[in-house]
Amino acid sequence: MIEKYIPYIGEEFIDELFLISRKLKGIKVLHVNSTKEGGGVAEILNRLVPLMNELGIETDWQIIKGDRTFFNFTKKLHNLLHMPGKEEINSDEIVYYLKITYENMNQIDTENYDVIFIHDPQPMGLVIKKQPGQKWIWRCHIDTSTPDPKAWHFLENFLNAYDACIFHMPEFAYEGITIPTYIIAPSIDPLHPKHIELSQEEIINTLTRFGINPEKPIILQVSRFDRLKDPFGVLKAYKLVKKKYDCQVVLVGAFAPDDPEGEQVYKELLNFATGDKDIFILNLPPNSHKEINAFQRGATVVVQKSLKEGFGLVVSEAMWKAKPVIGSNVGGIKRQIVHGITGYLVNSIEGTAVRIRYLLANPEIRKTMGFHAKERVRHRFLIIRHLRDYLLLINRLLKNND
Ligand code: UDP
């Protein structure tokens, strides 16, 4: 299967991958996170784990279990790591986090692995189980540059037991970190059903199945229903654009099982949309890959209006489909969009509306930007580059530097 990537990145890159993985023969790698589906982490692991196995590196993926109380707390922690907030972490929550962590320690076998990647804060406490000789890596998908001090202090207790941590961007790493820190950007997989080419007919059929008019301009945002993705901001920008252009707005989302807030946000969005038949709030089941692919390809302009963002993989997903993306000037969105070349970076609802209007009025510019957007993803945000970075890091940590 790995050879199938050659048309996208060239043969040399693949040879290099086999070369590195030969050095790692015999080791066992484990990835742990908190959900099998929903969100960017699961999305990447779904592809990365089979590819590592194909390269001859025995790799497993395990999921921690938790209940609503646990995930309410880890969601709060997630928000507090993004920025200091009004909420406080209380001692009951810490005790509960440890209780669930201990339960998971009994469920999740970490002993038989040489390298363990722990994704995000939810499973972070498992490091208590670390064995001599193992390398534990904390893979953080969040911007922790300005965390709430108490939330950070809580995590630090675990972090210091890790051998290394990885962030998407240098500015995401809190400056007080004392363990080795690496930067690896995430990626998309061009062979994933969400990214393969689709016929125009398939795209139109999907749009019409959801009642969307393929003839009328479409503004799209694909994101979990989460306030930090600012879906309300997108709808407000749409309302401003709508004064001048007849267009539709489509918010495609889902509830991740580890995000109890999603359902509430979804209901509020439905309320907001009442009475406007050009607003589509679509709550899709997990694995609606073909549909998301069709929406991204069928969109006229793609928006990612996040208030805070980890990486924002959806931006690269749309760029890969040669779409200009208008994204907030935050987090990983800044790394993906080249302002004025592949899309626009914006700072407000009004700014978003201005850029949408401009792009709706200029099809040639949409096309040129879309071309550059795709090339940028090809060079920087495809999965093979991601895989190579992981392998190089493992190699370095295990000191197989012969
Ligand atoms: N996604 C999805 N269905 C949805 C919303 C999002 O499959 O209804 C996918 C989206 O295509 C992307 C991932 O979930 O692959 C979201 O990753 P991103 O980094 O943009 O945001 P996160 O959810 O991790 O904050």
Side-chain angles (χ1 to χ4, degrees):
M1 173 172 151
I2 248 173
E3 283 75 16
K4 290 193 179 150
Y5 292 91
I6 292 174
Y8 302 103
I9 47 161
E11 211 158 329
E12 209 177 313
F13 220 120
I14 304 287
D15 290 346
E16 205 180 297
L17 269 188
F18 277 105
L19 207 72
I20 309 166
S21 38
R22 270 205 291 278
K23 288 187 169 201
L24 300 174
K25 272 270 146 35
I27 67 155
K28 285 187 74 176
V29 177
L30 174 66
H31 288 272
V32 184
N33 79 322
S34 62
T35 173
K36 194 91 191 162
E37 50 201 18
V41 179
E43 196 74 13
I44 291 172
L45 288 178
N46 249 312
R47 308 303 282 183
L48 206 71
V49 170
L51 286 174
M52 286 180 73
N53 279 300
E54 206 189 319
L55 286 168
I57 301 165
E58 217 180 307
T59 307
D60 290 325
W61 174 14
Q62 299 186 49
I63 316 282
I64 58 156
K65 291 201 176 75
D67 57 12
R68 214 176 161 89
T69 313
F70 176 79
F71 287 126
N72 273 330
F73 171 62
T74 56
K75 183 70 203 292
K76 184 197 236 183
L77 201 55
H78 182 114
N79 290 339
L80 287 172
L81 287 173
H82 265 303
M83 59 190 134
K86 291 186 203 91
E87 302 170 295
E88 287 274 337
I89 292 180
N90 63 54
S91 52
D92 286 351
E93 289 171 323
I94 293 178
V95 170
Y96 201 75
Y97 178 88
L98 291 174
K99 176 181 174 287
I100 299 291
T101 298
Y102 276 99
E103 283 172 18
N104 277 298
M105 274 165 51
N106 293 327
Q107 295 301 317
I108 298 203
D109 156 36
T110 54
E111 274 146 45
N112 290 313
Y113 297 90
D114 304 288
V115 178
I116 293 117
F117 285 86
I118 298 289
H119 294 262
D120 282 338
Q122 300 93 330
M124 205 170 171
L126 292 178
V127 74
I128 302 170
K129 229 180 146 183
K130 183 176 172 183
Q131 305 277 311
Q134 288 184 323
K135 298 294 175 192
W136 283 65
I137 302 165
W138 187 47
R139 197 340 167 189
C140 179
H141 300 260
I142 311 168
D143 175 358
T144 65
S145 51
T146 53
D148 179 90
K150 281 192 190 139
W152 183 260
H153 183 65
F154 172 67
L155 282 196
E156 221 173 20
N157 293 319
F158 302 116
L159 184 62
N160 289 334
Y162 281 78
D163 298 281
C165 55
I166 309 173
F167 290 86
H168 293 329
M169 300 171 30
E171 51 269 53
F172 278 15
Y174 177 58
E175 59 179 16
I177 294 177
T178 53
I179 64 167
T181 304
Y182 296 87
I183 304 304
I184 298 179
S187 60
I188 63 161
D189 182 349
L191 298 181
H192 189 286
K194 197 185 281 180
H195 306 308
I196 53 170
E197 291 291 332
L198 293 181
S199 68
Q200 200 53 26
E201 194 188 347
E202 280 174 289
I203 298 169
I204 291 174
N205 284 347
T206 307
L207 294 176
T208 44
R209 183 150 59 85
F210 286 90
I212 301 163
N213 178 357
E215 304 296 324
K216 204 192 270 195
I218 298 168
I219 303 161
L220 172 75
Q221 175 161 298
V222 178
S223 278
R224 288 177 294 104
F225 294 117
D226 182 328
R227 291 185 205 286
L228 287 179
K229 306 287 183 185
D230 200 16
F232 298 98
V234 179
L235 295 184
K236 287 174 190 161
Y238 151 82
K239 293 253 183 205
L240 294 175
V241 174
K242 184 85 176 181
K243 288 182 185 165
K244 196 154 176 204
Y245 286 97
D246 193 16
C247 58
Q248 307 165 93
V249 64
V250 182
L251 297 184
V252 174
F255 315 144
D258 61 350
D259 178 10
E261 246 184 339
E263 197 168 345
Q264 176 61 23
V265 174
Y266 173 63
K267 283 183 189 151
E268 289 176 30
L269 286 168
L270 288 180
N271 251 336
F272 190 107
T274 310
D276 187 335
K277 60 179 183 11
D278 283 330
I279 301 182
F280 297 85
I281 313 288
L282 306 179
N283 176 23
L284 297 191
N287 301 325
S288 302
H289 302 313
K290 274 264 164 87
E291 285 79 5
I292 289 179
N293 191 345
F295 287 128
Q296 287 170 332
R297 290 183 190 279
T300 319
V301 172
V302 174
V303 176
Q304 192 56 43
K305 177 70 189 66
S306 310
L307 301 172
K308 273 270 183 174
E309 189 54 80
F311 190 71
L313 210 53
V314 278
V315 171
S316 278
E317 291 179 359
M319 287 168 69
W320 181 244
K321 283 134 198 157
K323 296 294 162 183
V325 180
I326 299 169
S328 300
N329 196 12
V330 297
I333 298 177
K334 289 189 284 197
R335 274 286 150 110
Q336 297 171 79
I337 296 174
V338 184
H339 183 69
I341 308 286
T342 71
Y344 294 105
L345 290 169
V346 290
N347 298 294
S348 64
I349 290 169
E350 292 72 20
T352 308
V354 167
R355 299 301 186 181
I356 295 174
R357 259 188 253 138
Y358 179 73
L359 286 178
L360 290 186
N362 290 286
E364 275 310 310
I365 291 185
R366 290 205 302 270
K367 204 166 152 195
T368 312
M369 283 191 160
F371 170 81
H372 291 304
K374 182 163 187 179
E375 286 311 298
R376 181 158 176 82
V377 174
R378 187 194 307 285
H379 292 293
R380 302 184 72 141
F381 303 118
L382 290 187
I383 194 161
I384 297 296
R385 189 273 312 146
H386 196 172
L387 185 56
R388 186 187 57 174
D389 288 350
Y390 272 5
L391 298 186
L392 287 171
L393 174 59
I394 295 174
N395 194 46
R396 186 184 174 116
L397 290 177
L398 294 175
K399 299 211 186 314
N400 290 341
N401 292 323
D402 51 308

